[in-house]
Each structure stands twice: as structure tokens, then as C-alpha cells.
Amino acid sequence: MALLFLLLLLAVLLLGAQSEYIAYNTTAGIVPGKLNVHLVPHSHDDVGWLKTVDQYYVGANNSIRGACVQNVIDSVISSLFEDKNRKFIYVEIAFFQRWWRQQSPSMKIKVKHLVTSGQLEFINGGMCMHDEATAHYIDLIDQTTLGHQFILKEFGQTPRVGWQIDPFGHSAVQAYLLGAELGFDSLFFARIDYQDRAVRLRDKTLEVIWQASKSLASSSQIFTGVFPRHYDPPDGFVYEINDVSPPIQDDILLFDYNVQERVNDFVSAALAQAKVTRTNHIMWLMGTDFRYQYANSWFRQMDKFIHYVNQDGRVNAFYSTPSIYTDAKYAADEQWPLKTDDFFPYADHPNAYWTGYFTSRPAFKGYVRFLSGYYLAARQLEFFKGRSGSGANTDALANALAIVQHHDAVSGTQRQHVAADYALRLSVGYLEAEKLVSSSLAYLSESEPSSGQKCTSTKFEQCPLLNVSYCPPSEAVLSDGKSLVVVIYNPLGWKREEVIRIPVSNERVTVQDSSRRIIEAQLLPLSNARLKLRSYYVRAHLGNTPRELPKYWLAFSVTVPPLGFSSYTVLSAKQTDIDRRSTVSTVYTSKGNTNKTIEVGQGNLKLLYSANEGKLARYLNSRNMVTAVAEQSYSYYTGNDGTDKDPQASGAYVFRPNDTVVIKSEEKVSLTVMRGPILDEVHQQINQWVSQVTRLYKGKEHAEVEFTIGPIPVDDGTGKEITTQLTTAMKTNKTFYTDSNGRDFIKRVRDFRTDWHLQVNQPIAGNYYPINLGIYVQDSSTELSVLVDRAVGGTSLVDGQVELMLHRRLIHDDIRGVGETLNETVCVSDMCEGLTVQGKFYLRIDPLGEGSKWRRTAGQEISAPLILAFAEEEGNDWMNSHVPTFSGIDPSYALPDNVAVITLQELENGKVLLRLAHLYESGEDKDHSVLSNVELRKLFPRKKIIKVTETSLSANQERGEMEKRKLDWKVEGFGGAGIESKVVRGGAVDPAKLVVELAPMEIRTFLIDLDYLHMYGS
């Protein structure tokens, strides 16, 4: 090499060569018969992680990381202007929207030309690159729709490709719902299990046809590509301004001339990648996290590589996009391997299973899920009242919820100050939406005056801290002549009968329904531990401690119509009105009890507890005759500190347990049982920092368990990951089922993977899966189902047992980039303690084949809880002077039991966005896994439907046009499009009948034009 350089230098001197301008030829495209290297310039821009979303955008807080997305977009746009052959893809619309708002009209015209010409292409197109493990499918749809609507409005474009390159495992729902149902032609990502990747590299199966839905099968499949390595270029081809890859030096007058050497490197890397993929097309991802802040350093080198590699002629290189790459793969007419189920769990080496983040930051996960349900209801009420150009709206909450679906947000893998920023955004959004909900309920509940013009005077309050027993309007002492009105809104499409609980200050209260009938109500004393927790967390949130303490929970049953509300009144009962007062629960303790068992439950369901041990022992249902041994326990895993041979610790992402410790009380566990006409409660103090309340409602056949965990002690130098186990004698053959983003249930088998022979290195962490809706196990006669109120990790490590991880507090970083321990604390007056988490899970045992009805119905009720609003009124005349009950749909109608309204929203253009979801999979339930019909006229009884247009999932294109453009991929072994010869789908909507037909697992999206003949409440 040295000799060659000397000869070259001598030639230059002798011939008098000169350095001159080189016009690089970047016009190349696909060349048949050659290996085509698709160079895809991109930057992966996290919408918050180490810095907040706005810090990343403007380039603030660079002591953490030198990243400025504003510079990235500015620089890329300038470089694209310089050469019409250059291309770039952009993904995170939350950032691009910020940049777009700041541009001049003339710049916007130029950028629109870049988009229409294909130089700049929006890929994925959501507000963020969402997480796939801990996000609910409705939130994924909403955040994607927000981004797609921006792209459609500003550029008239519809993204074609899914680009989930960084999430830590990939869900079935992502493939068929957030892929094929959006009209995407393909989906690409980087992270899969290291064992899985090795097999796919060997077998050339990195690119597959993914049929992720058993119900929709080939009708919702998608071409899916897994990158051979990470989402960065091959080694030696990274060109950010401070990167160390050798540039092409092609000035013959300068030292280190290396054109042929670099061309050889390029060809060698391309041929190596070609060995692990099919067809003569490979894709190089030219970029990685927050790159192109000085875009010219990248484009200059890619211009040179395209020019000199194509002059060399051994391979063909050109600027490309994933869309162009997808079309090339399709044109190759190849048959592709079939992939089913999902890509969970994900491990990047033997002791590093990324299954801890399924539970990380459980309070934040709970807040996201609560606000998701609230947003669902708020949009409905905004529609019923009528969207206003001024006043409160749901936009801020929509944006905040969209951003927190990011794969380093709801996942719980961000730094603490970033988590606080996300929570603040959610809080701001909630406060605005709360005003909208209150004003909408006030408007809808006002009676129509003779003048025809409503005047809303009612001021409703809500209680966002009700989870810590804090609700000022219900706690206020009702003076003589005053009453508390409770309006309860139901966002689901069927009537609900549930028990609500609100804190009150004295026992002299009575409850009336909307017909002014006194109804049964029950008072449950608030424990000292509960009041202490209340005081601490109210002070932490609001900065002050309430002066008065409530004494009871007031519980009563409510009946609420579909997509509507009911009103109830809480009145002060006089001293002499003994018969009219609410019933105070009888309180019973197991201390000194002579019976061996304690039976709890007023209705069909009974739980039997061992009086001696203070533990659950048996489950009995007198209606379906299910009887089962059932036990519950708590334990924790000690988090590995990374000091053994493998330095991998348990952290925000990774779950690496050391030992399992059963949590036992230092004393005999004493049960406190509260009984009454509405519900029974069992209070258990497991140890100093774990307690729970189990509730059995008289009219329900499931148990509700409310756990309180924390502060988790770490003063012994050990991080802890807290779990609960529900154990039966069922023979489940290593098999259990977990949901995919709250939608389909996927079969799991302990220590097994469908796509390769698993080498078991972590028998606990490697069997954990994400849970958003629930988990169940079954044997030949019964099934145990457990539903959750937020995303958690779960498993079945022992036959007949379900395990959930509920909380984590760790004191070591897991070396995955966040650079901070998962050690959440709450501070009051500069005194901090570990975070206490309160949440719920729900359990039920059914005869085999009957559990899905409860899972699907209760799952909807958990994710879309009733909304409570309060108003204090003079006298007791509310029901006569207001509209006490309301339903937004025809009062004689309710949705079928297997269908849900997941979106009802008035858009800025006046159209109504409606999404209807079938809740069951094919074959899941003998009664409900069938075609179902929804009558649109009954959904909009006071309005004339002018036009109904079915669209893609994100409402950015007509469904018919999307289907016409669909690529018909060939699948190995089937010769054609897939496994199913015939897939059941709902038919077209007849404009005369206006009936929507839904097949199992189908979600159908419509834009509806309405003529507002008659406003609600008028």
C-alpha cells in the first residue's frame, strides 16, 4: 500500500495533475441483475428519553447529550435542496410539527416540493415511534392518527411503511393493526431476540410475511423486514461530523487518497449482507440516533460512494427509501417465509431479557391508562355538546397522550426528569379536558327553556385524586337544605351496572337515584393507614394537607345508559331518619376467631380464607358450580447488581433476578373483614410496605384486589421487584395466554419459542410477557383469568399459577443508555421516600370456554371507567329542574355485547370520526365470535346521516382505494397470499340501510357527514 501511494504521488508530480471539481453522479436507480444497495438516510429521534422532548428539539441541556432535532431538520432540508437525487426519511411527527410551525410560507412551499418529488418521505408517520409492549391499542391508533392527519392536511400524503426500528420487542397488534390496517405495505425494525436473529441470519429468514392475527389472517398480513444488525450503517460507514469512519479522500493532490480502498470496503460489506437476505436487494440504514445535525457530512460521503461504487460496477448503490425497497422486493416475485404470533420477549444477550420495562414506573403507566380512558369519554362529550372553536377542548390531552406512547415514555425507560415532564404534559392536558367534560355535562344536563336557548349555570367538579381517597366535593359536610349531585358518565356502548365509591365525612347520608327513590348504600370506614397515605400524597401533589379527614367510603350501585349519564343525589339524613341512612359496614377481625375458615361474599361468588393463616384458601361460585383451591401470595426478586462474571444488572429495561424471597409478615396476618349489603371487603396487611383490599360486589362474580406497595426498602443495598402469585391446582401443561396491546390473546408456552429451539438462560425473566388487558390459564375443565388496570409484566412459572410484577425499585443501572437507576421517590418538604404504588387487578375462575365473556366485557369497563362529576345544589330539586339521565344514542338501542365504540370524535372540519371494534377473536367464544351488526341511525338518532365513508385505520385514505393498492405477497408453502382461503370480513355499508357489519377482531373506521337536525339536550 505504501509503495502504491509513492508511485501515485510520483505520477502526480511528473504529470502535473491538478485538483479540480468533481461532479458526482448520484442519478443511479435499480439495475436488474446486479446487487442493489438501497442507501436510506435517516435519523432516529427519540421523543424524549435522556432529555425532554422540547430539550431534544431545541438542543437544550446538552450536558446530557448534544442533540438538537431542529438542527437535524434544518440541515437535512438544506442538503436535499442541493441535489434532487438525495433522499431522506422522517418518522417522528411530534418533532416535524414543531419545526413546520416555525417555517415561513416560502420555505413551506419548497419543502412541500421535496415531499411530492419523493426526496423527503414520511415513514411510519405517528407523533412518535410508539412502544409495542406497554401501550394500549386505542392509544396506538390515536397517536398514529394524529400524525397521519397532520401529514395529510399539510402534504396530501399517506405513509406506506411502518418503521418501528427501536422498540424492545414487537407485538402482533403492531403488525396487523398498526401496519396492514393503516395501508402500510411493509414494516421494518431492528430489535429481536439474539437467538432468533442468529437463526434468521443462518436461514435467510430476516424478511417474512407476518400474519399476526388468527382472525384476520392473510387479509391483514404485512411484509416485515428485520435488519441484519442494528438500525445503523455497517461498520466503517458512519459519518456524523465527529464519527471515526474513514471518509472517501478523492483529491489526488492530498495525502491518504483511498477511493479504491473505500469502494472495496463498500462492496465487501454489501456482499456480506447479501448472503443473509433473499433477492438482489439489500438496504443500508445510513444514520442512527440524532444524526444529520450537520447533514452535509453524511450526504457528501454518500454522493461519493454512489459515484465511485457504480463506476467500479460490481454492485449498484443509490439513494433510496423503505418504500422503494419494498417495491423492489415485491417485484422480485419471491415466496417469503410465514411468521405468526409476535416477537416477545426480547433479549440482546443470554442474561439480558428486556422484560423489566413491562412494569417499570407503574404509577406513570397507571396515569397514562387512566387518562386514555378519560380522553375516550371526553371526545364523546365534546361531540355531544358540539365542538367549539373557542373554549376548552381535548387537543392538549391528545398531544400529551400521543407523545407518551413513545418507546421510552410509557415503557418507563426514561430519565426521572423526563418522566416528570411527560406527567406535567398529561396533567396540563387533563386540566383542559376536565373543563370540557364539566361544561359538556352541565350543558347536556340543563333542561331546555321555553326560549330554546340553554344557559348552563351548573359548575361541576371532578376528583382526579380519588385514587388516594381525596375528593373535596364529596367530603364537604352537607348543611341543611343542600345536596350533592353525582353525575356519572358511561363511555361504553352498553348499559352498565356498577358500584361507585366516594369519600364522605359522616355517616348521616342517604342516596337517591334519578327518580328520587332512596337506594341502598353502604359506608365502609377508612383505615388509619389509608388516611396517612392520603395526607402524604395530597400534600405531595397539591403542596398542602387537607384540614378535614373523611371517615368513610360511601358505596352504592349505579345504572348508567350507553354513551350517556345518570344522576344521583347524596343527602344529609336527619338524626331521626334511621331507616333512610346508609348502612355502616360491620367490621370483623380474625384475631381470636375460633372458626377455621372465614367466608366472604354476599352474592354467587364466595371466597374462603384460612382464619389461622389469614390467607385465601378457596374459590366458590354457586351459579356455575365452580369450586377451586385458590391461594394468593406476594414475593420479590432481588435485582442482580451486575457484580458477577456477567456485569448485567437489573434495571429500567432489563429484568435479571437473583433470588426469590416470599414476603411474610413478622406476625400472624390478621384479616379485617367489612360486610354490608353492597359489597364485602377483606383487608390484609402483608408486611410493613405491602397491603391489599379484596372486594366482592354482591352483583358481580369476580374479585377486585386493590394493592398498595411501597415504599420498597432498599437500605439493605438490594433492589427489589415485587410480584404477586395466584395459585390453583389446575394442570396447565406449561401453557398460558397473554394479550397483545389489549387486543388478541397469544398462546405462551414456558421455556419455548415457536420460531427456534430456545436455549434457556434466564428461566424467570425469559418467560415474562407484557400484559395490558390480562392473562389466563386453563385446564380440561376450568380457566383462571386475571385482568389488570395498567401495563405490567406477567407469567406462569408454575402450572396452575399466574404471576404479576407490580412494582420495581432498583439501585443499579442496566447499562442500556439511560444512565440512571430506577429509584422513584416522592418528596414532601425536602424529605423523600420511595414511591408507593396503588393499583388493581381482577380475578375470576370460569368453566372452560366461558371466561372470554368476562375478560372482554370487564376489560372494556376497566379501560374505560365511569366518569364522576359533582355539584352541590340548594334543596333537592335537581331531578325536576335538570335532565337526570341522558344517552347519546337511541334510548331503545345498545351496541351488541361483542362491539365497542373506540372513537367518537368531531373533527375540525365538522366530520365525525367513528371507530367500531369487534371485541372477540374467531373461535374465542361460542356466542360472541360471530358477525355483528351496528345500526348507524341508532347511534346518531338526532342527526341525519348525509354520507358515510369507510377509511383506513388512521382515516387518511378511503378503505377501497387502500385495498386496491394492497400488495399481494407470496408465502412459502402456500403459493399465494396466505394460509386462509377465505377470511371473514364485514361487508360494505349500504347507504340506504346504514348498517355496519363487523367480523371477529375487525376494527372499522368511518368519516361521517351529518346534518345536525336536533342538538342533544334540546
Side-chain angles (χ1 to χ4, degrees):
M1 185 60 72
L3 179 61
L4 179 64
F5 173 73
L6 290 173
L7 292 174
L8 184 63
L9 182 61
L10 180 62
V12 169
L13 294 173
L14 291 175
L15 298 176
Q18 296 183 351
S19 174
E20 58 185 18
Y21 169 74
I22 300 173
Y24 299 111
N25 182 3
T26 59
T27 62
I30 293 172
V31 176
K34 277 192 175 182
L35 176 61
N36 290 277
V37 184
H38 296 246
L39 301 180
V40 177
H42 81 105
S43 177
H44 173 56
D45 299 338
D46 288 304
V47 184
W49 179 37
L50 308 181
K51 306 199 295 186
T52 70
V53 56
D54 287 345
Q55 288 171 348
Y56 270 134
Y57 177 70
V58 302
N61 214 354
N62 278 345
S63 60
I64 294 176
R65 173 165 190 166
C68 176
V69 175
Q70 192 173 19
N71 285 351
V72 171
I73 302 175
D74 281 340
S75 187
V76 164
I77 296 299
S78 296
S79 292
L80 294 180
F81 288 152
E82 292 177 13
D83 185 344
K84 66 180 181 180
N85 298 306
R86 292 174 174 174
K87 297 184 187 301
F88 194 84
I89 62 169
Y90 202 74
V91 176
E92 293 86 6
I93 300 304
F95 283 131
F96 197 88
Q97 190 181 61
R98 283 163 165 75
W99 182 84
W100 186 250
R101 287 197 303 258
Q102 299 170 349
Q103 303 311 302
S104 67
S106 60
M107 175 60 83
K108 287 184 176 181
I109 292 171
K110 294 177 183 177
V111 174
K112 285 182 178 180
H113 179 71
L114 293 178
V115 174
T116 55
S117 69
Q119 280 190 267
L120 177 63
E121 183 174 348
F122 295 108
I123 299 291
N124 225 31
M127 297 299 283
C128 65
M129 187 182 294
H130 53 235
D131 184 48
E132 296 182 41
T134 63
H136 194 270
Y137 76 94
I138 296 178
D139 295 332
L140 299 183
I141 294 170
D142 286 341
Q143 84 86 14
T144 303
T145 299
L146 208 59
H148 282 196
Q149 289 300 310
F150 168 81
I151 296 169
L152 182 65
K153 179 182 177 182
E154 299 295 340
F155 302 99
Q157 299 290 309
T158 56
R160 288 186 53 201
V161 173
W163 192 255
Q164 289 289 110
I165 60 177
D166 197 28
F168 329 121
H170 303 281
S171 73
V173 158
Q174 175 62 40
Y176 83 86
L177 192 60
L178 278 304
E181 294 296 300
L182 289 169
F184 287 173
D185 294 319
S186 56
L187 168 65
F188 296 95
F189 48 75
R191 296 188 188 271
I192 63 170
D193 187 279
Y194 73 101
Q195 294 183 40
D196 192 8
R197 190 191 301 276
V199 171
R200 293 182 183 279
L201 286 167
R202 182 195 69 198
D203 298 342
K204 287 191 173 183
T205 55
L206 286 167
E207 293 173 324
V208 298
I209 302 302
W210 192 357
Q211 290 184 11
S213 170
K214 292 178 294 185
S215 304
L216 302 176
S218 60
S219 74
S220 211
Q221 66 186 18
I222 191 165
F223 177 81
T224 302
V226 182
F227 305 139
R229 46 176 290 146
H230 203 44
Y231 52 82
D232 51 359
D235 292 338
F237 297 92
V238 183
Y239 289 108
E240 197 67 17
I241 195 165
N242 291 321
D243 283 324
V244 297
S245 297
I248 287 184
Q249 203 297 86
D250 58 350
D251 188 335
I252 203 164
L253 292 183
L254 302 181
F255 284 14
D256 302 324
Y257 184 88
N258 65 354
V259 172
Q260 193 59 49
E261 177 185 348
R262 291 267 63 202
V263 168
N264 290 343
D265 292 341
F266 188 102
V267 172
S268 177
L271 293 174
Q273 185 168 330
K275 292 178 181 179
V276 299
T277 190
R278 306 182 186 196
T279 78
N280 62 330
H281 294 273
I282 63 172
M283 178 164 55
W284 280 17
L285 277 69
M286 302 304 292
T288 183
D289 293 5
F290 299 102
R291 295 308 197 264
Y292 290 79
Q293 296 189 72
Y294 180 58
N296 202 39
S297 66
W298 283 90
F299 283 113
R300 181 190 295 120
Q301 295 305 313
M302 285 186 284
D303 288 351
K304 292 183 179 184
F305 274 114
I306 291 169
H307 179 80
Y308 290 116
V309 165
N310 293 343
Q311 279 187 349
D312 176 87
R314 285 175 285 172
V315 303
N316 179 56
F318 58 99
Y319 283 116
S320 187
T321 68
S323 299
I324 296 171
Y325 179 78
T326 299
D327 289 339
K329 288 286 182 174
Y330 182 71
D333 203 30
E334 178 83 11
Q335 289 194 356
W336 301 95
L338 180 70
K339 164 69 181 171
T340 58
D341 56 65
D342 62 9
F343 288 90
F344 284 116
Y346 162 61
D348 58 1
H349 75 68
N351 293 319
Y353 276 90
W354 296 43
T355 54
Y357 81 94
F358 300 161
T359 300
S360 295
R361 299 192 188 277
F364 180 68
K365 284 178 164 68
Y367 192 40
V368 172
R369 183 62 51 83
F370 162 72
L371 289 180
S372 170
Y374 194 85
Y375 177 51
L376 175 79
R379 282 183 291 178
Q380 294 172 4
L381 287 165
E382 187 174 33
F383 164 66
F384 292 141
K385 181 188 178 189
R387 184 180 174 96
S388 171
S390 60
N393 57 49
T394 58
D395 295 349
L397 183 56
N399 277 287
L401 277 169
I403 286 173
V404 301
Q405 305 312 314
H406 170 57
H407 60 270
D408 279 309
V410 69
S411 58
T413 55
Q414 67 277 56
R415 284 196 173 181
Q416 184 59 52
H417 77 104
V418 181
D421 181 77
Y422 287 138
L424 178 60
R425 292 172 187 277
L426 289 170
S427 178
V428 170
Y430 167 78
L431 290 174
E432 183 72 9
E434 185 186 47
K435 295 175 187 175
L436 169 78
V437 168
S438 295
S439 64
S440 297
L441 289 174
Y443 176 83
L444 295 169
S445 64
E446 288 290 332
S447 294
E448 181 72 16
S450 57
S451 65
Q453 185 66 38
K454 284 195 174 191
C455 178
T456 56
S457 58
T458 306
K459 303 296 183 184
F460 280 111
E461 293 183 70
Q462 294 170 62
C463 297
L465 296 182
L466 193 58
N467 64 317
V468 290
S469 317
Y470 181 66
C471 184
S474 72
E475 294 171 27
V477 177
L478 295 171
S479 57
D480 289 342
K482 290 194 174 183
S483 59
L484 176 70
V485 176
V486 186
V487 173
I488 302 144
Y489 180 75
N490 169 24
L492 298 185
W494 56 71
K495 183 176 75 172
R496 290 165 76 170
E497 295 179 356
E498 295 185 25
V499 174
I500 67 165
R501 297 180 304 119
I502 57 176
V504 294
S505 296
N506 68 65
E507 70 275 11
R508 294 194 301 275
V509 291
T510 188
V511 181
Q512 293 181 351
D513 65 11
S514 56
S515 300
R516 303 184 70 175
R517 291 190 300 261
I518 294 175
I519 62 171
E520 200 155 40
Q522 179 179 341
L523 292 159
L524 300 101
L526 275 158
S527 67
N528 289 333
R530 183 78 175 200
L531 292 172
K532 181 180 178 183
L533 190 72
R534 172 188 187 272
S535 296
Y536 187 85
Y537 275 84
V538 169
R539 187 176 179 192
H541 280 278
L542 303 181
N544 56 63
T545 304
R547 283 178 286 183
E548 302 295 330
L549 293 176
K551 295 179 180 179
Y552 300 95
W553 282 110
L554 174 65
F556 54 96
S557 296
V558 299
T559 301
V560 194
L563 296 171
F565 63 75
S566 291
S567 303
Y568 291 80
T569 309
V570 180
L571 302 161
S572 179
K574 296 179 181 178
Q575 191 75 27
T576 55
D577 293 341
I578 302 297
D579 295 338
R580 296 165 60 90
R581 284 197 218 162
S582 302
T583 304
V584 179
S585 305
T586 60
V587 180
Y588 170 87
T589 178
S590 62
K591 282 184 178 179
N593 179 63
T594 56
N595 296 324
K596 291 184 178 180
T597 60
I598 301 170
E599 183 180 282
V600 180
Q602 304 284 319
N604 293 329
L605 178 61
K606 304 283 193 296
L607 296 183
L608 271 59
Y609 287 82
S610 164
N612 187 43
E613 295 181 312
K615 292 182 178 180
L616 177 64
R618 202 160 189 83
Y619 178 105
L620 304 170
N621 186 317
S622 59
R623 181 190 59 83
N624 57 26
M625 306 308 292
V626 168
T627 175
V629 173
E631 298 178 353
Q632 188 205 357
S633 58
Y634 282 90
S635 62
Y636 65 82
Y637 296 107
T638 56
N640 195 296
D641 61 6
T643 58
D644 60 5
K645 293 179 182 178
D646 184 342
Q648 181 61 61
S650 216
Y653 299 92
V654 173
F655 172 34
R656 189 187 179 197
N658 258 349
D659 300 316
T660 306
V661 180
V662 176
I663 297 177
K664 294 182 179 179
S665 176
E666 297 174 1
E667 307 174 356
K668 175 183 170 183
V669 176
S670 174
L671 297 180
T672 299
V673 180
M674 298 185 186
R675 304 182 194 271
I678 306 292
L679 77 155
D680 287 359
E681 287 189 347
V682 181
H683 294 243
Q684 295 166 279
Q685 187 71 43
I686 312 300
N687 70 1
Q688 287 186 335
W689 45 275
V690 177
S691 63
Q692 73 174 31
V693 178
T694 303
R695 298 188 181 96
L696 274 70
Y697 298 98
K698 184 177 181 179
K700 304 291 184 180
E701 295 186 9
H702 67 265
E704 172 187 297
V705 180
E706 184 176 67
F707 60 87
T708 303
I709 301 174
I712 300 173
V714 292
D715 49 2
D716 57 358
T718 303
K720 298 173 182 65
E721 312 185 56
I722 317 306
T723 61
T724 189
Q725 296 77 32
L726 296 156
T727 306
T728 69
M730 295 165 61
K731 307 297 183 186
T732 53
N733 194 28
K734 296 185 175 182
T735 303
F736 57 105
Y737 301 81
T738 63
D739 70 275
S740 177
N741 302 109
R743 195 91 179 111
D744 311 63
F745 277 92
I746 298 179
K747 181 180 179 179
R748 313 296 190 185
V749 179
R750 196 159 59 247
D751 296 333
F752 175 80
R753 302 291 187 269
T754 55
D755 295 330
W756 79 95
H757 178 71
L758 177 67
Q759 178 182 336
V760 179
N761 298 299
Q762 286 288 320
I764 298 173
N767 284 302
Y768 255 73
Y769 290 88
I771 299 172
N772 284 274
L773 168 60
I775 177 174
Y776 71 93
V777 293
Q778 62 186 31
D779 64 8
S780 59
S781 62
T782 53
E783 51 189 275
L784 163 66
S785 305
V786 182
L787 304 183
V788 297
D789 69 343
R790 69 198 67 197
V792 300
T795 185
S796 177
L797 298 175
V798 178
D799 271 11
Q801 184 186 84
V802 165
E803 176 173 298
L804 303 177
M805 184 181 290
L806 303 175
H807 197 0
R808 315 176 75 216
R809 188 182 185 189
L810 299 162
I811 56 177
H812 297 279
D813 178 44
D814 55 13
I815 327 174
R816 288 302 180 278
V818 74
E820 194 175 85
T821 60
L822 184 67
N823 184 11
E824 295 182 277
T825 58
V826 175
C827 301
V828 172
S829 302
D830 298 326
M831 297 291 289
C832 301
E833 63 177 37
L835 176 70
T836 295
V837 168
Q838 185 174 282
K840 294 177 183 177
F841 59 87
Y842 309 79
L843 65 103
R844 176 165 161 153
I845 303 177
D846 284 287
L848 182 65
E850 295 186 15
S852 61
K853 291 183 180 68
W854 177 70
R855 289 193 293 270
R856 293 301 184 182
T857 303
Q860 286 295 115
E861 293 170 350
I862 293 165
S863 64
L866 297 171
I867 304 294
L868 308 184
F870 304 88
E872 188 176 276
E873 281 288 301
E874 293 286 347
N876 184 22
D877 196 40
W878 172 273
M879 302 305 171
N880 293 330
S881 60
H882 292 76
V883 177
T885 62
F886 162 86
S887 179
I889 66 177
D890 189 301
S892 65
Y893 187 66
L895 285 184
D897 291 341
N898 54 5
V899 174
V901 174
I902 62 171
T903 308
L904 177 59
Q905 178 180 11
E906 184 179 351
L907 304 177
E908 287 183 359
N909 60 11
K911 293 180 185 289
V912 174
L913 176 62
L914 173 70
R915 285 194 189 91
L916 299 168
H918 198 298
L919 298 174
Y920 289 76
E921 300 176 66
S922 58
E924 182 179 359
D925 182 84
K926 60 183 172 57
D927 300 317
H928 294 111
S929 295
V930 295
L931 281 169
S932 205
N933 294 328
V934 175
E935 300 178 48
L936 291 182
R937 286 194 179 94
K938 297 287 183 69
L939 280 187
F940 302 99
R942 300 168 181 84
K943 298 175 173 63
K944 182 180 179 182
I945 298 174
I946 305 299
K947 184 181 179 183
V948 176
T949 305
E950 185 167 11
T951 69
S952 65
L953 186 68
S954 61
N956 67 346
Q957 56 190 310
E958 290 194 18
R959 177 91 195 186
E961 293 301 312
M962 182 188 91
E963 293 291 345
K964 287 179 187 177
R965 292 193 294 268
K966 191 174 182 178
L967 302 181
D968 188 17
W969 297 88
K970 292 183 177 179
V971 181
E972 275 185 354
F974 299 95
I979 302 173
E980 303 284 338
S981 57
K982 183 180 180 182
V983 178
V984 177
R985 286 272 194 172
V989 177
D990 186 321
K993 296 180 179 177
L994 292 175
V995 174
V996 176
E997 195 176 44
L998 289 134
M1001 275 294 107
E1002 196 172 20
I1003 295 178
R1004 300 184 69 176
T1005 305
F1006 301 93
L1007 289 174
I1008 301 179
D1009 294 86
L1010 296 172
D1011 184 359
Y1012 291 77
L1013 298 173
H1014 195 61
M1015 291 301 293
Y1016 291 96
S1018 65

